[in-house]
Amino acid sequence: MSATPRAASTLVVVGHGMVGHRLVEELATRGLTRSHRVVVIGEEPRVAYDRVHLTELFGGKVAEDLAMTTRAELEGWGVELRLAERVVAIDREQGTVTLAATGAAQTLAWDRLVLATGSTPFVPPVPGKELPGCFVYRTIEDIDAIRAWPARTGVVVGGGLLGLEAANALRGMGVEVHVVELAPRLLAMQVDDTGGALLRAKVESLGVTVHTGTTVARIEPGEGDPSRVGRVALSSGETVNADIVVFSAGIRPRDELARAAGLELGPRGGVAVDDRCATRDPRVFAIGECASHRGATHGLVAPGYQMARVVAATLAGEDARFEGGDGSAKLKLLGVEVGSFGDAFAATPRARVVSFQDTISGVYKKLVLSPDGKRLLGGVLVGDTSSYGSLSSAVTAETPMPKAPEELILPARAGGGGGLGVDALSAAATLCSCHNVTKGTVIDAIRGKRLSVVSEIKACTRAGTGCGSCVTLLADVLKIELKKAGVAVANHLCEHFPCSRQELYHLVRLHGLRSFAEVLERHGQGGGCEICKPAVASILASAWNEHVLDKKHLPLQDTNDRYLANIQRDGTYSVVPRVPGGEITPDRLIAIGRVAKEYGLYCKITGGQRIDLLGARLEDLPAIWAALIAEGFESGHAYGKALRTVKSCVGSTWCRYGVQDSVSFAIRLEQRYRGLRSPHKLKSAVSGCARECAEAQSKDFGVIATERGYNLYLGGNGGMKPAHAQLFLTDLDEASLVRMLDRYLMFYIRTADRLQRTSTWLASLEGGIEYLRSVLVDDSLGICAELEAEMAANIEAYRCEWTETLRDPGKLRRFRPFANSDARDPSIVFVTERGQPRPARADERPMAKADPEEVTS
Amino acid sequence: MDVVALEDLDPDTGACVLLGATQVALVRAGDAVYAIDNHDPFSGAYVVSRGIVGDAGGVHKISSPMYKHAFDLRTGVCLDDPSVRLSTWPVRVRGGRVEVLFGAAVAPRAAA
Ligand code: SRM
Ligand SMILES: Cc1cc2nc3c(=O)[nH]c(=O)nc-3n(C[C@H](O)[C@H](O)[C@H](O)COP(=O)(O)OP(=O)(O)OC[C@H]3O[C@@H](n4cnc5c(N)ncnc54)[C@H](O)[C@@H]3O)c2cc1C
Ligand code: SF4
Ligand code: FES
């Protein structure tokens, strides 16, 4: 193959962007940067950086954070890097390029030349486009200029991927944004009309104004200042005020050098290349956005990376071909998940389409199938892209479809749905399209190098280190592999404890261990982490019921348990007093209202029949709780892995159908188990009759009244994976039911994994509910008396954690935002909505949040 | 800059201090004390000091309470996303007092 270079020949790479840099990496891994002289010429003033994440510069990152390499690293590889220099001409006869830096022109000889010049943003030729205040969105310098430009209203020209990203960035700066799109829908390249309409509704609900089917006719200066942008006239006749205009109306491949050098171009621009990414001149290659392969250019990074690998492989004498990429992409734009892959528009003749739409939750999914329905060709996902990885891989791997492909996109139902597990994919299926890593490669790495966590897979194979959309697939493959290998590692709590939570619980009780230090010394190693510390704290609390704020337990607690309140998105906390059974007197309602008013708290009725007071500052928590406790309230343990609420319906006291007093029984149950620390939270409910208004069958333990007593249901769950509780015993009297519950809860606490709800715990017990019956009813393990005694000790030791905390000045000292100052935390800012306070969004803060530091100053 | 007494910091726990207008998390981990930015870039909230202190392979780390991202206390680098890095400042303990070499941030954020 003539492409194999002679020794010590010179390879010149034009452009040090994402793809150019990937080429250099690929060359270095193959040793080609040692055997050849490699010169990289980049026009930008810095080393290659991650353009894909450019928008993060608005979120507090700095240019250096995006760098993909350093000069030192490149030098180490033996690469000559020339930055801030531009290639202005190629002479193919002489085999040279001409460079223009600040000084005189210079020529450089090459044996092989690779063009990786990317694209330039397309700016439509509208009058006024040169006015100050008009920007493009491509380089770090562009972003810096946009951030420095003061603006209140803005227009983004183009409603594609980049346009929506730019719109979001402007929104984050507090700018009121209009998006103008020529096509009749947003993301015209990725989604179909239905998906576009759904997306539009979501984007508009965020306060962005969308104009489709129209274009910018003229950009004009404002009335006040003729030297800068002030207004944009649309071809529809509308006029929009704008102090800033960002063009993101597409890109044009930078093919000017190639054209001047007489190289062939593609039909829509770009340097024409063959499957080896070689141009008409076999010594010259083109890769990335500047290349046109089989008539198409690619504006995404994944195909560019594949081209880089093909060229490096070709130069190393390997046989590699670029087979073409597609426009598959998964993104989150303005908070909306969008995915599109393969033949999304059903361009294949006689392709079949199944789709699912839910305008309430804003979910739209479409699958394009082969005419016989046996293969997946492509699809569109809006609002929920959780299945993107497995579906898009199913396209490339040609995985056979199940009989009813619609199951793949319908919402999961009990017993059905489930989707296309990663197990169904063949070894050749690509899991990570950014780095082109197949399932086979991942499995080989897991087996060959005995990997046990996803981060190791990332490090070994690079899968998952690009856009990140394949990480859940990697985790699934890992889980399956570990299971096949019979590895028990999944049970290890973390790197500090080589045993399961269940084993640790027994060890703690057996040896009477009372502090994390003791447990670590006897059964662990290292210093502990965010996984084992709270888990051990929970075990110690279940076993001995000591106060969680005792000094020795303090470092174990995450913020919620440390401050006995749930942290909220802005760093404030919530306060949830216990309202047993959901019954509350008018006086107590008034008391809650009074306290909320005094401390400016937002009030909401929760899904658990009580009242959440949100927006409490750390330093106010003690005073708020003192006021509530004075009114007779106690902690609701909303912050702990503990009993939450026992919901009730009105029952026989009021309801004409009620057969038992469900309210009283719910209150008794809530008071019995309040404060009980457990592997995960516990929820319960008591319904007064079979109509089940308290939803007891979705609870960890649920009680439904019958004519003769109560039916007990166990292991129900709402939440992410709802599970119906299973009927355990029928027609129990109250005392027997409580005895069963004591045993059940204690057995769960003893044997469940950390953060395992009762539903998953029950599903994991071999023999399931029958086995549970044998343990709790027939006492097959002979532990029922022990379980009851442990529960009795727990109930005995109950104290309201907030009451205890308020009595102890040492504990109260910690409720200060700053250890060296009594200042209030200035980063907390509220705005009023519907008459109540809520956290200010970034764009509502006094200063546009370009630099988060400014908020504090 | 002399900031607080060492005994004001609980062992293996973080606490926030205000240095000028900057919120700095002082973290005691074993025998060491670290100073790291209190701003959690993933949530935008100033809460890093309220996370759990631990170690990964012997390296001291703190995990933000919001979305549990862990940060290397020596370098500020996020262990779950190495492209993210918090500012850190040199710390010295002298005569029971904790001193922070403020103004010498190791990974300063945008000044512009
Ligand atoms: C406040 C509340 C929403 C509301 O405004 O109604 C709420 C708020 C939170 N829920 Fe919930 N859940 C609330 C009722 C529910 C319910 C309904 C119920 O309890 O009847 C469910 C489904 C039932 C269930 O759990 O089986 C529910 C299922 C979840 C889940 C998913 C659990 C699962 O097994 O899949 C989580 C996440 C978790 O725990 O890991 C969660 C986690 C959370 C957290 C703790 C998230 C967090 O870490 O910040 C929220 C705390 C907010 C706060 O500070 O108060 N919340 N959450 C409700 C409080 C009830 C109460 O009074 O205690
Ligand atoms: C805001 C934004 C978000 C994006 N998001 C995504 C995404 O989510 N997913 C995705 O796949 N893609 C995304 N992209 C596209 C992705 O960044 C590009 O596909 C990728 O950067 C292309 O790499 P490249 O090397 O071909 O071009 P570039 O990265 O543009 O590199 C080309 C380099 O060559 C230099 N150059 C050009 N001509 C010369 C010359 N004559 N002499 C010297 N140097 C020259 C240029 O200055 C430039 O530095 C995004 C792009 C932007 C701007
Ligand atoms: S469902 Fe629960 S966890 Fe999710 S946002 Fe609502 S309150 Fe928070
Ligand atoms: S698909 Fe983007 S990182 Fe794997």
Side-chain angles (χ1 to χ4, degrees):
Chain A
M1 167 85 217
S2 64
T4 311
R6 299 180 311 271
S9 63
T10 302
L11 172 72
V12 168
V13 181
V14 186
H16 194 224
M18 297 186 75
V19 173
H21 179 64
R22 171 50 72 93
L23 173 70
V24 174
E25 283 182 348
E26 296 279 352
L27 294 172
T29 18
R30 288 175 172 77
L32 294 175
T33 49
R34 296 261 165 245
S35 53
H36 299 76
R37 178 176 177 222
V38 176
V39 186
V40 181
I41 302 152
E43 171 198 53
E44 294 190 65
R46 53 185 97 240
V47 292
Y49 55 89
D50 183 356
R51 214 177 288 289
V52 170
H53 291 103
L54 203 56
T55 301
E56 294 179 9
L57 294 177
F58 288 92
K61 284 209 182 173
V62 294
E64 293 76 66
D65 295 333
L66 297 183
M68 301 175 76
T69 181
T70 57
R71 273 183 175 275
E73 181 176 48
L74 292 170
E75 268 165 31
W77 293 344
V79 173
E80 282 174 50
L81 179 66
R82 307 179 63 149
L83 292 180
E85 294 190 46
R86 191 153 62 92
V87 173
V88 290
I90 301 171
D91 186 334
R92 290 200 285 130
E93 253 163 50
Q94 302 289 325
T96 59
V97 289
T98 309
L99 301 183
T102 29
Q106 213 191 338
T107 58
L108 187 70
W110 48 263
D111 299 282
R112 295 282 179 280
L113 181 66
V114 182
L115 301 174
T117 49
S119 337
T120 36
F122 169 65
V123 177
V126 291
K129 68 179 165 51
E130 297 85 9
L131 276 173
C134 290
F135 299 96
V136 293
Y137 201 93
R138 177 84 192 176
T139 64
I140 289 183
E141 284 69 25
D142 293 337
I143 303 302
D144 286 345
I146 292 173
R147 284 180 53 187
W149 190 261
R152 265 173 305 135
T153 55
V155 165
V156 171
V157 185
L161 290 177
L162 205 56
L164 292 182
E165 196 163 318
N168 198 26
L170 290 184
R171 211 179 128 253
M173 285 170 46
V175 176
E176 187 193 317
V177 191
H178 293 257
V179 173
V180 179
E181 167 60 49
L182 180 61
R185 60 169 183 267
L186 294 175
L187 284 197
M189 302 287 287
Q190 280 81 21
V191 305
D192 58 14
D193 281 337
T194 320
L198 235 155
L199 188 67
R200 178 185 185 133
K202 289 217 167 184
V203 168
E204 286 182 334
S205 72
L206 295 169
V208 174
T209 314
V210 178
H211 309 260
T212 50
T214 181
T215 175
V216 171
R218 233 171 23 260
I219 300 171
E220 297 164 356
E223 256 132 48
D225 185 352
S227 70
R228 54 175 282 173
V229 170
R231 239 188 348 241
V232 172
L234 305 183
S235 58
S236 62
E238 255 178 291
T239 306
V240 178
N241 285 335
D243 330 303
I244 189 168
V245 174
V246 176
F247 288 102
S248 45
I251 49 175
R252 293 291 176 267
R254 294 185 69 168
D255 52 16
E256 62 275 4
L257 284 175
R259 176 183 306 147
L263 291 168
E264 194 184 331
L265 301 187
R268 269 166 269 142
V271 190
V273 295
D274 61 17
D275 287 359
R276 291 200 164 77
C277 297
T279 64
R280 260 305 173 76
D281 183 333
R283 301 165 306 160
V284 182
F285 300 82
I287 56 178
E289 287 187 345
C290 68
S292 169
H293 175 255
R294 298 185 192 170
T297 52
H298 294 285
L300 294 170
V301 70
Y305 281 177
Q306 287 167 30
M307 293 185 209
R309 193 179 45 244
V310 167
V311 169
T314 303
L315 292 175
E318 298 161 28
D319 185 27
R321 280 157 198 277
F322 178 66
E323 305 279 356
D326 66 10
S328 297
K330 174 181 142 177
L331 332 113
K332 194 163 184 182
L333 290 164
L334 293 130
V336 184
E337 295 180 354
V338 180
S340 148
F341 52 94
D343 181 10
F345 296 103
T348 310
R350 290 181 302 114
R352 288 169 41 184
V353 169
V354 290
S355 66
F356 161 79
Q357 192 183 163
D358 176 350
T359 45
I360 296 174
S361 56
V363 172
Y364 169 71
K365 299 181 180 186
K366 175 175 101 173
L367 295 183
V368 178
L369 300 160
S370 59
D372 60 6
K374 290 199 174 125
R375 276 187 40 219
L376 185 61
L377 302 177
V380 175
L381 306 169
V382 178
D384 170 15
T385 53
S386 51
S387 50
Y388 175 85
S390 56
L391 291 175
S392 61
S393 316
V395 174
T396 34
E398 309 193 353
T399 311
M401 284 290 101
K403 274 216 185 63
E406 62 274 15
E407 291 289 346
L408 299 178
I409 50 172
L410 288 177
R413 279 167 290 141
L420 198 60
V422 70
D423 222 7
L425 295 175
S426 72
T430 303
L431 294 185
C432 175
S433 37
C434 285
H435 297 295
N436 204 13
V437 183
T438 61
K439 180 178 163 189
T441 309
V442 172
I443 291 182
D444 290 346
I446 295 173
R447 292 186 188 161
K449 301 193 177 131
R450 300 177 173 278
L451 310 184
S452 59
V453 293
V454 173
S455 55
E456 292 172 346
I457 303 183
K458 287 187 181 174
C460 286
T461 66
R462 312 190 68 173
T465 57
C467 67
S469 54
C470 60
V471 173
T472 42
L473 284 183
L474 300 179
D476 288 347
V477 171
L478 180 66
K479 220 183 286 166
I480 294 169
E481 281 306 307
L482 289 180
K483 207 163 167 185
K484 276 187 195 151
V487 178
V489 58
N491 271 337
H492 287 193
L493 209 47
C494 64
E495 66 172 83
H496 305 105
F497 286 96
C499 53
S500 67
R501 177 194 176 276
Q502 174 178 355
E503 287 160 339
L504 210 53
Y505 183 90
H506 284 292
L507 293 170
V508 165
R509 287 203 69 105
L510 191 68
H511 300 297
L513 306 178
R514 292 200 171 244
S515 72
F516 181 76
E518 282 177 73
V519 181
L520 189 67
E521 197 197 332
R522 302 213 29 172
H523 305 292
Q525 62 211 26
C529 65
E530 72 282 4
I531 294 175
C532 59
K533 285 181 168 184
V536 170
S538 158
I539 290 174
L540 292 172
S542 300
W544 318 118
N545 215 347
E546 287 182 23
H547 195 278
V548 287
L549 284 193
D550 282 351
K551 190 156 180 171
K552 64 179 190 233
H553 299 327
L554 189 75
L556 311 184
Q557 309 293 2
D558 198 359
T559 185
N560 284 3
D561 269 313
R562 190 154 141 205
Y563 297 114
L564 303 173
N566 292 32
I567 197 164
Q568 304 298 320
R569 57 186 318 126
D570 59 344
T572 62
Y573 290 84
S574 74
V575 168
V576 192
R578 188 168 293 293
V579 179
E583 184 186 74
I584 188 161
T585 62
D587 279 339
R588 289 210 169 177
L589 271 178
I590 291 168
I592 289 189
R594 219 173 24 232
V595 174
K597 225 166 151 176
E598 183 175 348
Y599 292 93
L601 304 175
Y602 167 93
C603 295
K604 180 177 180 300
I605 310 283
T606 72
Q609 295 189 341
R610 49 190 184 170
I611 299 170
D612 199 346
L613 310 175
L614 297 116
R617 289 170 169 271
L618 181 64
E619 64 272 30
D620 289 345
L621 284 171
I624 293 171
W625 273 106
L628 288 169
I629 287 169
E631 298 285 355
F633 288 101
E634 59 179 9
S635 167
H637 289 100
Y639 44 81
K641 300 296 173 222
L643 179 77
R644 293 290 160 85
T645 67
V646 181
K647 296 202 324 184
S648 75
C649 68
V650 283
S652 59
T653 322
W654 292 91
C655 176
R656 62 203 159 121
Y657 296 113
V659 290
Q660 305 285 353
D661 180 0
S662 49
V663 178
S664 302
F665 194 23
I667 294 173
R668 282 196 289 276
L669 288 178
E670 185 157 342
Q671 280 170 343
R672 184 172 183 84
Y673 300 121
R674 64 189 168 184
L676 180 68
R677 297 281 164 161
S678 49
H680 207 316
K681 57 195 175 190
L682 287 166
K683 299 180 174 188
S684 174
V686 182
S687 278
C689 83
R691 284 169 193 74
E692 244 284 72
C693 298
E695 301 170 310
Q697 288 168 97
S698 67
K699 299 300 174 201
D700 296 279
F701 54 102
V703 178
I704 301 178
T706 66
E707 300 277 353
R708 286 174 299 278
Y710 297 97
N711 286 351
L712 175 61
Y713 291 80
L714 300 179
N717 203 167
M720 285 168 274
K721 207 166 171 299
H724 270 288
Q726 303 179 47
L727 181 58
F728 188 65
L729 291 171
T730 53
D731 295 328
L732 292 169
D733 60 51
E734 196 177 314
S736 327
L737 190 144
V738 166
R739 193 164 56 242
M740 267 322 135
L741 277 182
D742 285 358
R743 297 175 181 176
Y744 165 70
L745 292 174
M746 223 53 226
F747 188 52
Y748 163 65
I749 289 171
R750 273 192 177 192
T751 59
D753 240 332
R754 90 176 241 287
L755 298 186
Q756 189 176 39
R757 288 286 292 265
T758 55
S759 64
T760 31
W761 167 71
L762 188 51
S764 73
L765 289 182
E766 207 152 322
I769 193 101
E770 284 309 325
Y771 170 71
L772 197 61
R773 224 173 253 131
S774 76
V775 175
L776 303 184
V777 182
D778 310 330
D779 201 5
S780 60
L781 300 180
I783 54 171
C784 285
E786 256 173 63
L787 295 175
E788 285 175 40
E790 280 169 27
M791 181 59 87
N794 247 295
I795 294 168
E796 178 66 25
Y798 169 80
R799 289 156 298 173
C800 166
E801 285 164 357
W802 264 108
T803 310
E804 296 263 301
T805 303
L806 291 174
R807 283 199 197 115
D808 184 341
K811 286 173 185 161
L812 287 178
R813 194 174 57 87
R814 300 194 186 100
F815 290 85
R816 296 173 69 195
F818 306 114
N820 67 337
S821 155
D822 286 325
R824 304 272 272 180
D825 183 346
S827 74
I828 295 170
V829 182
F830 296 112
V831 295
T832 303
E833 186 172 271
R834 294 183 294 275
Q836 294 210 76
R838 67 152 171 83
R841 289 190 305 263
D843 56 313
E844 294 165 333
R845 288 174 169 262
M847 235 164 296
K849 79 149 209 117
D851 183 345
E853 197 94 279
E854 287 176 12
V855 177
T856 58
S857 51
Chain B
M1 190 187 286
D2 180 294
V3 184
V4 286
L6 183 62
E7 62 179 17
D8 284 346
L9 303 178
D10 290 310
D12 289 321
T13 307
C16 183
V17 292
L18 207 50
L19 301 184
T22 307
Q23 297 199 14
V24 175
L26 288 186
V27 183
R28 261 181 93 169
D31 295 331
V33 180
Y34 300 92
I36 187 168
D37 198 345
N38 195 40
H39 179 256
D40 170 15
F42 297 97
S43 63
Y46 289 75
V47 294
V48 170
S49 59
R50 304 179 204 166
I52 292 183
V53 180
D55 79 71
V59 172
H60 287 145
K61 60 172 185 174
I62 188 162
S63 68
S64 166
M66 203 62 85
Y67 303 120
K68 313 283 181 236
H69 292 92
F71 299 93
D72 184 332
L73 281 168
R74 302 166 313 174
T75 60
V77 171
C78 175
L79 299 170
D80 304 298
D81 179 356
S83 70
V84 174
R85 177 169 175 187
L86 299 186
S87 300
T88 54
W89 293 267
V91 178
R92 178 167 66 186
V93 180
R94 244 191 357 189
R97 302 288 301 175
V98 178
E99 299 173 0
V100 176
L101 200 56
F102 194 58
V106 174
R109 277 202 306 274

